[in-house]
């Protein structure tokens, strides 16, 4: 769909956004292959997210130090946009930094430990198609390298930090993708780092909801005076990319509602919704999670999603599409 800004190629590594801003990209942006960002000014630095394991994070930080030897030599502040490990498992590599997240993100990190993922991968050969799907999603990462390092500062609504002369605004927009979703906005540079509020050219995954909050987060980005949008996954984009995600969420919400009202199960609805307009987007099996979360929202069911069951459903859909 060509939602990346043409001046930024979608290649692995560090991309200079100008004015002391950088994005670290990890194609293809699928499971675990997240983006991160760096903001520098007057010898000071703020890092937006770490990566899924220690080796990946060390490689990223080495590239940042090469680009900004003074500012990136010691990261002063680190913001985790949410609790998923591909945005925080490398925190230990930023020794001495103030680590900031939303209160709910820090709380959720306690339930998503790297040892759990390492255990799932060890068990994968005995888990049939679900195990094969887990290995496909997460087998490239070294979870045993990770010593989980939690935030040292939490916030509720909004927090501001100075990086040199730049003001950086950190704002909570969840629960949406996850409970503690946060945006990191640099108004002076017209740049926003969105975490997993945005998956560009890949299906977003709605573990939490409500969908209205996620659509509202997209609207909030659209209302900002920004030109460069760094998503949690996928190529650098602009407001066209934000609109594409908003349109996806609106479409899936409306189609899921029709099937909920007609009495279809969430998995049957996920199979039935015509997603052909999104065939070029990766990780299409995530529709199973999105519809399941929407069904719970429609029914007023506030119990947590059964992640194991949903990975099973995604494995079924991935196999049916020849992606397993």
């Amino acid at each position: 769909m060509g939602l990346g800004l043409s001046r930024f190629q979608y290649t692995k590594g560090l991309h200079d956004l100008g004015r002391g801003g950088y994005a670290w990209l990890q194609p293809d942006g699928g499971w675990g292959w997240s983006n991160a960002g760096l903001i520098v000014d007057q010898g000071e630095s703020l890092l937006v997210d770490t990566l899924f394991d220690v080796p990946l994070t060390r490689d990223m930080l080495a590239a940042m130090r090469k680009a900004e030897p003074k500012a990136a030599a010691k990261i002063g502040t680190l913001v985790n946009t949410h609790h998923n490990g591909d945005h925080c498992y490398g925190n230990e590599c930023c020794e001495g930094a103030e680590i900031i997240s939303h209160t709910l993100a820090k709380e959720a990190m306690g339930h998503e430990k790297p040892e759990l993922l390492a255990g799932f991968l060890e068990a994968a050969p005995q888990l049939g198609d679900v195990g094969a799907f887990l290995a496909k999603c997460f087998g490239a990462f070294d979870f045993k390298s990770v010593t989980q390092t939690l935030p040292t500062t939490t916030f509720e609504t909004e927090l501001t930090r100075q990086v040199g002369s730049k003001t950086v605004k950190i704002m909570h927009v969840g629960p949406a993708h996850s409970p503690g979703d946060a945006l990191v906005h640099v108004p002076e540079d017209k740049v926003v780092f969105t975490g997993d509020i945005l998956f560009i050219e890949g299906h977003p995954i709605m573990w939490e909801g409500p969908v209205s909050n996620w659509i509202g987060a997209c609207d909030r980005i659209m209302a900002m005076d920004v030109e460069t949008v760094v998503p949690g996954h996928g190529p650098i984009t602009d407001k066209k990319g934000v609109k594409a995600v908003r349109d996806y969420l609106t479409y899936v919400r409306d189609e899921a509602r029709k099937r909920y009202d007609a009495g279809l199960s969430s998995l049957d609805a996920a199979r039935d919704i015509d997603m052909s307009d999104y065939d070029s987007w990766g990780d299409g099996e995530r529709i199973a999670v999105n519809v399941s979360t929407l069904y719970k929202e429609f029914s007023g069911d506030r119990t947590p999603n059964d992640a194991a069951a949903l990975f099973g459903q995604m494995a079924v859909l991935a196999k049916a599409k020849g992606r397993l």
Side-chain angles (χ1 to χ4, degrees):
M1 283 192 166
L3 300 177
L5 290 179
S6 59
R7 71 178 185 273
F8 297 112
Q9 292 192 347
Y10 189 34
T11 54
K12 182 179 180 180
L14 195 64
H15 295 253
D16 189 345
L17 308 178
R19 297 177 55 83
Y22 296 86
W24 181 264
L25 306 182
Q26 294 193 105
D28 64 355
W31 290 96
W33 297 109
S34 55
N35 299 331
L38 181 70
I39 303 158
V40 303
D41 192 50
Q42 299 178 359
E44 296 181 357
S45 61
L46 182 149
L47 181 67
V48 182
D49 285 333
T50 56
L51 306 178
F52 218 171
D53 63 25
V54 169
L56 288 171
T57 303
R58 283 178 177 157
D59 287 348
M60 174 181 75
L61 291 173
M64 289 175 172
R65 284 192 295 270
K66 187 174 180 181
E68 292 282 349
K70 184 179 178 184
K74 186 172 178 60
I75 301 296
T77 307
L78 163 62
V79 179
N80 294 138
T81 57
H82 61 296
H83 77 277
N84 290 155
D86 52 340
H87 297 263
C88 65
Y89 277 178
N91 283 3
E92 67 188 272
C93 299
C94 299
E95 189 175 351
E98 178 190 27
I99 306 175
I100 298 170
S101 80
H102 188 265
T103 304
L104 293 176
K106 181 176 181 178
E107 182 182 314
M109 287 176 196
H111 305 295
E112 199 167 290
K113 295 181 180 295
E115 294 83 1
L116 275 174
L117 284 169
F120 288 146
L121 288 179
E122 285 184 354
Q126 287 78 48
L127 298 177
D129 288 345
V130 178
F133 183 66
L134 287 168
K136 182 173 181 279
C137 293
F138 303 121
F141 305 104
D142 180 11
F143 300 120
K144 291 183 178 180
S145 71
V146 178
T147 301
Q148 192 175 40
T149 303
L150 298 177
T152 56
T153 300
T154 59
F155 72 100
E156 295 296 333
T157 305
E158 193 166 306
L159 194 65
T160 300
R161 285 290 180 269
Q162 288 298 126
V163 180
S165 64
K166 291 181 182 178
T167 299
V168 178
K169 295 183 176 181
I170 308 157
M171 56 200 77
H172 182 228
V173 292
H177 164 75
S178 72
D181 296 310
L183 307 175
V184 180
H185 180 207
V186 191
E188 182 183 336
D189 296 344
K190 299 187 177 184
V191 172
V192 63
F193 300 88
T194 72
D196 284 359
I197 290 298
L198 295 184
F199 293 73
I200 298 299
E201 298 178 4
H203 286 249
I205 186 164
M206 193 189 309
W207 287 114
E208 187 74 15
V211 69
S212 58
N213 279 2
W214 200 330
I215 292 169
C218 291
D219 288 339
R220 190 164 180 177
I221 299 167
M222 294 285 287
M224 290 177 176
D225 182 16
V226 294
E227 296 173 353
T228 305
V229 179
V230 182
H233 295 258
I236 297 166
T237 191
D238 55 19
K239 290 185 181 181
K240 291 179 184 175
V242 184
K243 183 178 184 300
V245 173
R246 189 193 191 284
D247 289 349
Y248 173 101
L249 294 168
T250 303
Y251 173 74
V252 171
R253 176 199 65 192
D254 293 349
E255 293 300 309
R257 183 76 215 200
K258 292 174 192 173
R259 288 155 181 82
Y260 175 83
D261 291 343
L264 271 69
S265 72
S266 66
L267 181 56
D268 285 344
R271 287 190 176 111
D272 190 56
I273 295 172
D274 179 8
M275 299 301 294
S276 57
D277 283 351
Y278 299 96
D279 280 348
S280 66
W281 290 21
D283 304 311
E285 64 275 358
R286 292 174 176 170
I287 188 68
V289 178
N290 297 340
V291 174
S292 176
T293 300
L294 286 163
Y295 266 44
K296 290 168 75 69
E297 185 177 326
F298 299 153
S299 69
D301 179 357
R302 296 183 179 275
T303 60
N305 268 317
D306 183 341
L310 289 175
F311 270 100
Q313 291 186 12
M314 286 191 284
V316 168
L317 295 184
K319 189 173 185 179
K321 292 286 189 180
R323 293 196 290 263
L324 189 59

